[in-house]
Amino acid sequence: MDNICYGLSGRVFVITGGSRGIGLEIARRLLKNEKTKVVLCARKQEGLEQAAADLDAGDNLLALPAHIAREEDVAALFQRAKDTFGRVDALINNVGMNLLTPSTASAGMDTWKKIIDTNLNGTFLCSCAAAQIMREQGRGKIVNISSIASRRSAPGMGIYGVAKAGIESLTRVLALELAPDNIQVNAVAPSMVKTGFSAPFWSNREMHDQIVGGIPLGRLAEPADVVEPVLFLCSEGASFITGQVINIDGGATIV
Ligand SMILES: NC(=O)c1ccc[n+]([C@@H]2O[C@H](COP(=O)([O-])OP(=O)(O)OC[C@H]3O[C@@H](n4cnc5c(N)ncnc54)[C@H](OP(=O)(O)O)[C@@H]3O)[C@@H](O)[C@H]2O)c1
């Protein structure tokens, strides 16, 4: 891959949940360009320090602790991004979590609230904070990381799927409302990606083979399979695309 990176050189990105997994790989790809700036967040300081050491990007990287479902954390995150780099060109709402819920109907309110809070409420809060800055700039891109679980019921993923469906709906609503401000809002919906998040599934040979059996392209996604479409959606090449959800699933949803 070249360092020009879809014409994104010099742009300022906020990536939520960038201390590992897909978010970290998006940051790594962007920071190959020495003019691009990245702000990433996570809850745990240790993970942020490891990511910062790994990315080794000097002043082009800000790695800040923030819980995206806490209003005060989100406000501080975007204020620091603006104070440090002067603007926010793109927000990548990457944070996601799941608590395995064998039965959604008996999961209980605490579990429901935790999953909805981090996945959906967090995406809402970060989008609102970014939109405020982007409106002043007269431009911006928001890309949400959904999941094909938004449209497919899967064991253990019930509430997570509901939250992701909410994110896809939010994507369309914000795309419409922010269109007059020249802000494009899109989402990607991957099938299983080989990160720590999904390791309990793909590290089990039997489960791995069963999942791959439902994917026409015959393999699981790697983080890089998600990185490239996300960066395209952040680029000027995608400036007439808004309110869309792109499946990144090796064809899983066409069978
Ligand atoms: N992996 C898959 O199979 C797959 C498939 C489809 C969609 N996705 C989606 O892709 C996105 C990234 O997934 P991933 O596999 O890269 O996840 P991951 O490896 O578990 O990484 C999650 C990141 O989010 C951070 N995080 C979690 N909760 C947070 C919170 N409340 N506030 C701030 N940061 C938080 C984590 O750091 P801390 O723990 O330190 O906070 C970490 O940096 C998620 O939206 C996920 O739903 C993943």
Side-chain angles (χ1 to χ4, degrees), residues 32-43:
K32 279 185 185 167
N33 184 296
E34 60 193 23
K35 291 184 183 155
T36 303
K37 321 286 183 199
V38 171
V39 179
L40 55 81
C41 78
R43 291 163 304 174

Side-chain angles (χ1 to χ4, degrees), residues 17-22 42-44 66-68 94-96 118 145-147 160 164 190-193 195 197-198:
S19 65
R20 58 179 187 267
I22 295 167
R43 291 163 304 174
K44 298 183 201 91
H67 189 310
I68 61 150
N94 165 73
V95 164
T118 293
I145 314 289
S146 181
S147 162
Y160 173 79
K164 292 297 192 183
S191 53
M192 188 166 288
V193 186
T195 68
F197 173 74
S198 53

Side-chain angles (χ1 to χ4, degrees), residues 107-123:
M109 197 60 185
D110 274 0
T111 304
W112 172 272
K113 276 186 177 166
K114 277 183 192 149
I115 298 173
I116 297 293
D117 213 25
T118 293
N119 291 287
L120 184 55
N121 296 345
T123 298

